[in-house]
Each structure stands twice: as C-alpha cells, then as structure tokens.
C-alpha cells in the first residue's frame, strides 16, 4: 500500500526557514518521480518542486527557485523540502506527491497535483 506522510510544517516569521519531510512506504522511492505542491486558501494547487526519478535532477517553480531545495534519501525512503527566506505568499498546505512516470523539466511541475499518490499535507504559515 502506497503511503506518504508529511511533517515539519508550522508557523514561521517572514525570512525564516522550515524543512518539510515526506516519509514514503509501499514503494521504492528511487523508482518514482517525487515532488511537492501546495494549496493556499481560495487558490488552486501549485506545483513547487520536483525530483526526477532517473537522475534526481530537481526542478522548481519560479516563485520558489533560489529559496527552496528538494532532496531525497532513497535509503530512508524520505524526501525533504528545505525552505528558506519564507514569504507571506508561501503560506498553505504542502503536499508530497509521487508517481512512477518519468517526468521531465517541462511537465513535472505542472503535473504535480495530478500525481498518482500524495499525502495528507502539512500546514505552513508565514506570519509576523
């Protein structure tokens, strides 16, 4: 049974940092494309970052590039999202998503909300 469990969300001031974790089970992480998307209140889901399955190349949306870093530890079946210099607009529920398809730089970010498996989400609130 495929399962993804996110953790690490919380309340942080603008300019602060958080590290989200996603522990996966039921499949081998190194055979999956994996990433993060978020949803703010009243807004559509937005792809944030992808890690490609074949070579772990990483992709980022323009809104987070340079501030967020995705990484994976295949041995621990865990994916991380290091978030720095957080802004008010980063507030939302962050979801970890996984899919066996070999997405690339063009289609990974946009398709994240449609990936086959995702977790329950973790809340990130950026507030002064």
């Amino acid at each position: 049974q495929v399962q993804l469990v996110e953790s690490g969300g919380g309340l942080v001031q603008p300019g602060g940092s958080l590290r989200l974790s996603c522990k996966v089970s039921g499949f081998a992480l190194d055979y999956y494309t994996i990433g993060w998307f978020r949803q703010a209140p009243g807004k559509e889901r937005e792809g944030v970052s992808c890690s490609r399955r074949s070579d772990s190349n990483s992709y980022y949306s323009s809104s987070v590039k340079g501030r967020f870093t995705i990484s994976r530890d295949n041995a621990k079946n865990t994916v991380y999202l290091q978030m720095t210099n957080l802004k008010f607009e980063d507030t939302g529920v962050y979801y970890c998503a996984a899919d066996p398809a070999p997405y690339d730089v063009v289609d990974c970010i946009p398709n994240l909300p449609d990936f086959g498996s995702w977790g329950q989400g973790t809340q990130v609130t950026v507030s002064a």
Side-chain angles (χ1 to χ4, degrees):
Q1 179 180 356
V2 172
Q3 191 172 17
L4 299 87
V5 179
E6 303 95 334
S7 62
L11 175 65
V12 63
Q13 292 185 338
S17 300
L18 280 175
R19 188 176 82 155
L20 306 183
S21 298
C22 174
K23 177 71 173 178
V24 309
S25 59
F27 63 96
L29 185 58
D30 48 349
Y31 293 105
Y32 276 66
T33 299
I34 195 155
W36 295 85
F37 68 92
R38 65 189 180 188
Q39 188 164 26
K43 294 189 176 181
E44 293 188 356
R45 295 169 187 159
E46 175 193 11
V48 172
S49 181
C50 263
S51 172
R52 200 166 68 168
R53 72 174 196 184
S54 58
D55 53 14
S56 295
N57 274 348
S58 303
Y59 312 121
Y60 301 92
S61 66
S62 57
S63 61
V64 307
K65 194 170 186 177
R67 300 187 297 120
F68 290 12
T69 304
I70 189 172
S71 62
R72 60 162 81 198
D73 186 334
N74 290 336
K76 294 182 178 180
N77 262 8
T78 302
V79 182
Y80 305 97
L81 186 68
Q82 179 67 49
M83 307 186 294
T84 63
N85 192 20
L86 284 161
K87 304 177 181 181
F88 293 118
E89 53 265 38
D90 294 318
T91 294
V93 180
Y94 283 69
Y95 298 88
C96 176
D99 199 283
Y103 290 92
D104 61 22
V105 63
V106 175
D107 56 9
C108 196
I109 297 286
N111 283 293
L112 270 166
D114 297 320
F115 274 24
S117 302
W118 31 289
Q120 84 289 346
T122 185
Q123 176 71 46
V124 172
T125 303
V126 184
S127 175

